[in-house]
Every structure is written in structure tokens, then in C-alpha cells.
Amino acid sequence: MEMMVSSDTIPDAASYIFLVNQLCKRGNIGYAMQLVDKLEEFGCPPNTVTYNSLVRGLCIHGNLQHSLQVLDRLMQKGLIPNVFTYSFLLEAAYKDRGVDEVVRLLDEIIAKGGKPNLVSYNVLLTGFCKEGRTNEAIKFFRSLPSKGFDPNVVSYNIVLRSLCYEGRWEEANELLSEMVGKTRSPSVITYNILISSLALHGRTDDALGVLEEMMRSRFKPNATSYNPIIAQFCKEGRVDLVLPPFFSNLKKLD
């Protein structure tokens, strides 16, 4: 980089970000941080995207604490963390220490003036559900409006998945009835959650009903829609009954 500058070739911001990214991907975090420290000398002050590369690199290599220090530097410089900054940190926190660490980290970020977004909170919802803490997930889900966010279809799908796989159908139906509106309307993923969970619980005919409803809607079933039903039919010994129509439908996906 010094060679480029000394030869009167002035790299732009994209060049610096690319180089920082590549250093981080190769695990050369120390060199990447040195480069970021020198960016102002090169007339190109680091921005949020530059710091995100460092945060992501540190998180990938298991250095969560150091990545939090980078977040502090970012905010001290008056830069605003974005959806990617928080996602990298929170996903790393969950992977490294579980959902309780995500809760603690979110509290710390807010205390320092950070403003997590809905994507950040969806990471927390996912953590609760993956750890089987569905009731806590629901409680947090219901608290989102008080935090200034309306749950979107991703939020609903996260909670719906846990309810369905636990066989809590009445609560799942109540949640489904709320999924009306531009940002929370059911998606292909919603239908696939219903199909796979119903099939898993042996309710194959109900899963078929959801599949038929999906076909009547604007959504096109995919292999993920069919596989759970096929697997359950095989388990029930109903292969001869189901294979011809299913292969016919699968051909339509090509």
C-alpha cells in the first residue's frame, strides 16, 4: 500500500476495504488493524464498512472481546454501527457463549449508546428458540413493539417454528392469524415450517392440506416442501400411494 502511495497512485476507499477484508479472511487480523490505523495518514479515514471487516474477522476467529473493543473505537469516532456490525457480534456471542451472552451483549451495546435493530433482536429470538426456551422467546417477541419495532415475517417464522415443533398448535394458529400485512405476511418459509412440523408429528394429511393451500396461493412449493411429507409417507408404508403424484409435482419444479 505504501508503494502505491509513494508512486502517486492514490487508492480509493473500496481498495482499502478490499485489502482489509482479504487480510481478515486470511486470519491476518493484526495486519488489517495496522492498515486501518494508517488509513487517515493515506487520506482515507476508515468508515463503518471498514470496521465491519475487522469485527467480522475477529468474530470468525473467536476473538469476541477484541471485536467489542473495535466496536467501541467505531462509536468513539462518531461512526454508526449498522445491521451487519450487530449481526456479526451477536451471532458470534451466541455461538461462543449462548443466548444469555447475547442478552448481556445487547444490554451493553444499548448502555454505550448503540441502537440495535430488528435484525439484532431476531438473532436473540433465534437463540432462545434454539436453546428450547420458547416461552422466553415469546415473551421477548411480544415486547418488541415497546422497543420500537414491529415483528416482521422473519420474527414470526422464528417463533412459529419452535411452537410447531413442540406441537403447540393452538398457539401456532394464534400466531398465524396475526400474520397479516406487508412485512409479516406468510412466506414460503412459513409454509415449509408448517408442512415439516406437521409431517414430523405424523399429521401427514394436515401437511398435505397446507401444501395444497400453498399451491393455491402465490407461492410455488419447492423440494423442501415435499421432502418431509415423502419421508413421513415412507415411514408409514404409504409409498405406492404417494410417489406418482409427488414425482409429477417435482418435475414441475425443474
Side-chain angles (χ1 to χ4, degrees):
M1 190 61 70
E2 285 90 346
M3 290 173 62
M4 292 177 70
V5 174
S6 62
S7 64
D8 294 328
T9 301
I10 303 175
D12 59 10
S15 302
Y16 288 118
I17 292 170
F18 176 79
L19 184 53
V20 170
N21 245 320
Q22 292 304 308
L23 288 169
C24 289
K25 284 180 179 179
R26 294 169 181 266
N28 297 323
I29 310 296
Y31 287 116
M33 295 188 74
Q34 289 178 34
L35 177 59
V36 170
D37 288 339
K38 290 185 176 182
L39 287 182
E40 289 192 25
E41 295 177 24
F42 295 151
C44 188
N47 57 22
T48 299
V49 178
T50 314
Y51 279 107
N52 279 353
S53 295
L54 287 179
V55 169
R56 182 172 182 271
L58 288 164
C59 287
I60 287 173
H61 291 88
N63 201 331
L64 179 61
Q65 198 55 45
H66 204 160
S67 67
L68 291 173
Q69 293 172 9
V70 172
L71 176 65
D72 286 341
R73 285 177 58 186
L74 184 156
M75 296 175 71
Q76 287 167 7
K77 289 181 175 293
L79 298 172
I80 301 173
N82 61 22
V83 57
F84 298 106
T85 319
Y86 291 130
S87 292
F88 295 148
L89 288 168
L90 296 175
E91 287 171 8
Y94 175 74
K95 184 178 179 181
D96 190 38
R97 304 174 192 173
V99 70
D100 288 329
E101 178 64 16
V102 177
V103 174
R104 190 202 66 76
L105 180 55
L106 271 171
D107 289 341
E108 182 181 327
I109 288 171
I110 293 169
K112 291 180 178 179
K115 296 180 179 179
N117 49 39
L118 185 56
V119 175
S120 308
Y121 289 127
N122 282 345
V123 172
L124 179 53
L125 273 179
T126 300
F128 277 131
C129 290
K130 281 187 175 180
E131 293 188 6
R133 296 160 65 174
T134 307
N135 289 337
E136 290 175 79
I138 293 170
K139 183 178 179 181
F140 185 77
F141 173 83
R142 294 301 182 194
S143 75
L144 286 174
S146 68
K147 301 179 187 299
F149 298 99
D150 287 326
N152 59 13
V153 65
V154 176
S155 317
Y156 274 90
N157 283 344
I158 292 166
V159 179
L160 182 67
R161 186 187 301 274
S162 279
L163 289 173
C164 289
Y165 279 91
E166 290 177 13
R168 296 164 65 170
W169 306 113
E170 188 174 331
E171 293 168 90
N173 284 330
E174 181 182 337
L175 201 66
L176 276 169
S177 70
E178 299 174 15
M179 297 182 72
V180 179
K182 187 176 180 181
T183 63
R184 61 175 67 172
S185 294
S187 63
V188 171
I189 293 173
T190 311
Y191 281 103
N192 285 346
I193 288 169
L194 295 171
I195 291 168
S196 59
S197 57
L198 286 166
L200 180 69
H201 284 270
R203 298 177 57 177
T204 324
D205 291 335
D206 290 329
L208 278 172
V210 174
L211 182 63
E212 289 170 2
E213 179 186 334
M214 188 180 186
M215 290 176 173
R216 288 193 298 268
S217 71
R218 59 189 175 90
F219 299 111
K220 185 178 180 181
N222 52 32
T224 305
S225 312
Y226 290 108
N227 287 343
I229 301 178
I230 293 174
Q232 187 60 28
F233 271 129
C234 291
K235 186 177 179 181
E236 295 172 3
R238 299 164 70 184
V239 182
D240 293 340
L241 177 66
V242 74
L243 283 184
F246 267 102
F247 279 123
S248 174
N249 283 321
L250 284 171
K251 285 179 182 178
K252 295 176 183 177
L253 297 178
D254 295 336

